[in-house]
Amino acid sequence: EEITIGGYQVDLLITDGIHILIELTSSTKNKDVENLLKAASAYREEKGIEPQLYIVTAYISPRLYHLVKEKGITILSHDSM
């Protein structure tokens, strides 16, 4: 389901007690990553739950790919499948 938390829109999936915030984008930009991290922070504050973070994208630059992985975000893209 799509939710707005902390002023940021993300998709939320809850399965087997695991909360997953998902950013869907055709081409990942720095702003997408920042928004997902801010939404995760707001989610932790509001719900008291540490969400897993995913970006589902058609394209992510190699530089941004490494930055996202360092932040602990899972990337699902054509190249990672």
Side-chain angles (χ1 to χ4, degrees), residues 7 31 58:
K31 190 74 172 167

Side-chain angles (χ1 to χ4, degrees), residues 33-79:
V33 177
E34 292 170 14
N35 289 348
L36 182 59
L37 292 170
K38 289 176 182 176
S41 178
Y43 195 84
R44 278 190 298 276
E45 285 182 30
E46 187 174 309
K47 306 290 185 183
I49 296 170
E50 181 70 39
Q52 291 185 10
L53 305 179
Y54 280 71
I55 292 178
V56 179
T57 186
Y59 174 78
I60 185 167
S61 72
R63 180 192 59 76
L64 194 52
Y65 178 90
H66 293 294
L67 173 70
V68 168
K69 294 302 271 183
E70 287 173 6
K71 301 281 185 186
I73 300 170
T74 301
I75 302 165
L76 298 176
S77 73
H78 179 333
D79 294 334

